[in-house]
Amino acid sequence: MPKKFHRTTFSKPASSAHPALATSSSPSKHGNNHPDTSPTSVSDLINHLRRTQAAGSGSRDGLAPTRTVHPSLKGILQVPDTPPPRPRLGMRPVGGRVVRGPPGPAPPRSWLTASIHAPQHLKDKARVAERAAPDRLDRLPGAEIPDKSSLLHQCLKTIARNWKWHVNYDQYYLALMPVKVKGILLSYIAVYGDRESLDINSLRILFLDETELEGATGGEEITHLDLSGAIGQPLTFKQLDQYFAPSTTNTNTNTNTQPPPPTIDQPHPQHQLLESWESLAEPSTTLLSHPLLPTTPFPTLTHLSLSHPNPNANSTSWPRLLTFANSHLATLTHLSLAHWPTPSLTPHATAKSATTSSKYAPSSVSYGCSDYYSTTLDGDWSEAAGVLMRLSRATYCLTWLDLEGCGAWLEALRWEAKQDEGGRGGGGGVEWCGGWRGVETVRVHAGWMPEGLGLLHGDEKTEPGSVVRDKLENGAEKGNDSHMEWDVEDERRKYYARQDLDAWENVQRLARDVQRSVRMKRLMGGGRRIWFESEELRGQE
């Protein structure tokens, strides 16, 4: 039986337009309330889209469209220029092309500065912030600093800012400057120059003498030498030791006074027959009139500044300073060690993790002379006091000492070993009645000023810490008011201001206690009176 064939019809679903584009017709005259279902052509839809886009383009950004004027008529009609379009968000120009930035919000600044993948400019800012920079031209007392309105000040400031360029292109003229100007120039380089501009080569070029360059003034009359900010890097104590080492030179330049070599006909003068014994006592004209004398580049140096060393350099260490002081700093009267780290013979082993194991000890012992908790918890400053004692014996002519920014180890200035029950032990601290018996002034400034206490250096009267603390507390109470908006950045700034104020007050309190202890030692030892200078002890008894 044949199979039946069924024809299948497929119907395409009707496409309906968007409700916004659908046109509704009015009810028909015949009472039909249904809308008109007549199909809409493609041309009608395109025209409708053009009309809606043209109507909404003028108010898309909330600004009414402005009519443009021909550039030749703008000046006559006084029509302002059309402002350029604003840059797109997240776009930044890099090398002549616009690059889209990373998506998302900007990372916190603390993440950038503490990360090893931080940009170089942020690392440099953090490094400069950690390392205090020299900010005073009169770091050493007695320096004749020119007035800021003088021409000499502007010239020295410009030379200091371009010191590397002058060393390369004016190296034969720098040594011809007067000796007094050379000493002042070093202070300007420390304040206005780059941190690594003053190296040993530029120092040698600046102080060339007459034997090395005709017309050079040398450094024999230098009394003030300011090397602030250069110790450790690029200047090392090994380079300074070699430069300060005395060299043997002949001060007699006349070569015709040397005796001629002996011959057969004329024997050596010592073997000639003398007519009388009196002629033996007469000085011989053939001998040298001036013997070979050791000379140093700065024979009259009395003021030296080694402040603001590089804390990251391996050559910035107290053992190297002691070696250099024993060799060349015996005649110093003024020394600046501002912002030096805690005195230690093992600076790389002061961390609490620097330990070593021994078969004779039940546990690991500290690798250095003092561990991390020796000074903070136990108050043991024996290592720091021992280093300062050795320094005082090497610089026994000191009358002025600068320890600005060294508030972390001011306690070592008065530390003494305690005696046992039998009266044994004791002493071992700084010899204020021994090597430093001539020290009359010690600068113990904190090195910074909290917010609201005024300038660090100057004659302006600063507000006491209690007044600033009251202002901060009042500001915190106002910030807690429910009617005022709470600002996170303002509260963070106040928190750091309180921390700085506490640290600053601790330094001032410690300076007063150290001054009292040292004066008591001087009084018991029969020494002269000593003065400690700080922000609060300025001009006080």
Side-chain angles (χ1 to χ4, degrees):
M1 187 173 180
K3 196 177 207 178
K4 293 184 179 179
F5 180 77
H6 299 279
R7 184 183 297 272
T8 305
T9 58
F10 298 96
S11 61
K12 183 179 180 180
S15 60
S16 60
H18 194 270
L21 303 179
T23 57
S24 59
S25 58
S26 58
S28 59
K29 298 180 181 180
H30 303 281
N32 188 10
N33 296 331
H34 296 282
D36 188 9
T37 58
S38 59
T40 305
S41 62
V42 178
S43 300
D44 296 339
L45 295 176
I46 293 176
N47 293 333
H48 180 74
L49 289 175
R50 289 177 179 174
R51 288 195 302 269
T52 56
Q53 290 179 358
S57 61
S59 59
R60 178 178 301 175
D61 297 334
L63 300 175
T66 57
R67 300 180 61 181
T68 58
V69 184
H70 194 271
S72 61
L73 300 177
K74 286 185 178 181
I76 300 175
L77 301 178
Q78 297 182 356
V79 178
D81 295 337
T82 305
R86 293 179 297 178
R88 299 177 60 183
L89 296 177
M91 307 296 289
R92 53 189 178 90
V94 176
R97 58 190 182 91
V98 180
V99 179
R100 185 182 296 275
R109 184 174 296 274
S110 59
W111 291 10
L112 295 179
T113 55
S115 175
I116 60 175
H117 305 289
Q120 188 62 33
H121 66 281
L122 292 179
K123 290 183 180 179
D124 295 340
K125 288 183 179 180
R127 180 178 58 85
V128 172
E130 292 178 358
R131 178 187 178 187
D135 56 349
R136 295 185 58 183
L137 294 173
D138 55 346
R139 171 66 60 182
L140 296 173
E144 300 179 2
I145 305 300
D147 189 59
K148 292 186 178 181
S149 60
S150 61
L151 179 60
L152 181 59
H153 171 78
Q154 300 297 332
C155 293
L156 294 178
K157 185 177 179 180
T158 305
I159 293 176
R161 289 180 173 177
N162 305 278
W163 176 246
K164 292 184 178 180
W165 186 91
H166 287 285
V167 169
N168 293 330
Y169 296 97
D170 295 338
Q171 53 182 337
Y172 299 108
Y173 302 98
L174 295 175
L176 306 180
M177 292 190 302
V179 179
K180 183 185 298 185
V181 179
K182 290 181 180 180
I184 302 174
L185 179 59
L186 291 178
S187 300
Y188 276 82
I189 295 175
V191 176
Y192 298 105
D194 297 335
R195 295 293 174 267
E196 300 178 358
S197 58
L198 185 63
D199 53 359
I200 191 62
N201 295 328
S202 59
L203 196 64
R204 292 179 184 273
I205 291 174
L206 183 62
F207 292 102
L208 292 176
D209 55 6
E210 182 68 26
T211 60
E212 298 172 333
L213 180 64
E214 183 179 359
T217 56
E220 296 182 356
E221 301 178 2
I222 282 289
T223 58
H224 292 67
L225 192 65
D226 192 352
L227 302 180
S228 302
I231 298 300
Q233 187 179 1
L235 277 179
T236 62
F237 281 111
K238 182 179 180 180
Q239 296 174 347
L240 290 177
D241 190 18
Q242 296 176 355
Y243 182 56
F244 276 67
S247 59
T248 305
T249 57
N250 186 10
T251 58
N252 185 15
T253 58
N254 189 5
T255 58
N256 297 328
T257 58
Q258 297 181 359
T263 59
I264 299 177
D265 300 334
Q266 184 179 4
H268 197 273
Q270 295 181 357
H271 301 284
Q272 293 180 1
L273 296 178
L274 302 178
E275 297 180 358
S276 64
W277 292 101
E278 297 179 355
S279 60
L280 182 62
E282 296 179 359
S284 177
T285 57
T286 59
L287 299 179
L288 294 176
S289 59
H290 297 282
L292 299 177
L293 299 177
T295 59
T296 59
F298 311 108
T300 60
L301 180 64
T302 57
H303 297 63
L304 178 62
S305 175
L306 303 176
S307 65
H308 299 83
N310 190 349
N312 299 325
N314 295 329
S315 58
T316 305
S317 62
W318 285 90
R320 298 177 186 271
L321 174 61
L322 293 176
T323 304
F324 180 71
N326 290 326
S327 303
H328 311 289
L329 304 184
T331 59
L332 278 186
T333 59
H334 294 69
L335 177 62
S336 175
L337 297 177
H339 296 274
W340 267 73
T342 304
S344 175
L345 297 177
T346 54
H348 301 289
T350 55
K352 64 178 181 180
S353 59
T355 58
T356 182
S357 59
S358 175
K359 62 180 181 180
Y360 301 104
S363 60
S364 60
V365 296
S366 176
Y367 179 75
C369 298
S370 58
D371 57 6
Y372 180 76
Y373 302 102
S374 297
T375 58
T376 56
L377 297 180
D378 301 335
D380 183 12
W381 295 93
S382 57
E383 182 185 7
V387 174
L388 294 178
M389 180 182 62
R390 294 174 58 181
L391 181 63
S392 64
R393 295 177 179 178
T395 57
Y396 49 83
C397 293
L398 277 186
T399 60
W400 183 89
L401 182 62
D402 181 19
L403 298 179
E404 177 184 330
C406 302
W409 51 274
L410 284 182
E411 189 70 30
L413 298 177
R414 64 171 181 175
W415 184 87
E416 285 186 354
K418 298 181 180 180
Q419 297 182 357
D420 55 8
E421 297 179 357
R424 294 184 299 268
V430 180
E431 298 179 350
W432 292 107
C433 297
W436 279 352
R437 59 186 178 276
V439 176
E440 300 178 357
T441 304
V442 180
R443 295 185 73 254
V444 288
H445 290 257
W448 84 96
M449 291 291 283
E451 184 180 358
L453 287 182
L455 300 177
L456 176 59
H457 305 290
D459 299 332
E460 293 81 357
K461 295 183 178 180
T462 59
E463 298 179 354
S466 58
V467 177
V468 178
R469 186 176 297 279
D470 293 340
K471 291 183 178 180
L472 291 176
E473 297 297 336
N474 295 335
E477 293 177 359
K478 293 180 180 179
N480 295 331
D481 193 356
S482 59
H483 299 284
M484 299 181 63
E485 184 179 358
W486 188 69
D487 191 358
V488 179
E489 294 296 332
D490 184 64
E491 293 297 328
R492 183 182 290 110
R493 182 185 60 83
K494 292 179 180 179
Y495 172 77
Y496 289 132
R498 295 190 194 96
Q499 297 294 326
D500 293 342
L501 182 59
D502 293 339
W504 184 83
E505 288 181 346
N506 291 334
V507 173
Q508 304 304 318
R509 189 183 307 106
L510 182 58
R512 291 192 298 267
D513 297 342
V514 171
Q515 176 183 239
R516 191 180 302 108
S517 301
V518 174
R519 281 185 175 181
M520 185 62 64
K521 291 182 181 179
R522 282 285 182 90
L523 183 61
M524 297 176 61
R528 63 184 65 180
R529 193 176 182 85
I530 188 171
W531 300 89
F532 278 71
E533 292 184 359
S534 66
E535 289 82 1
E536 288 190 356
L537 295 177
R538 188 182 305 170
Q540 297 182 8
E541 289 289 340

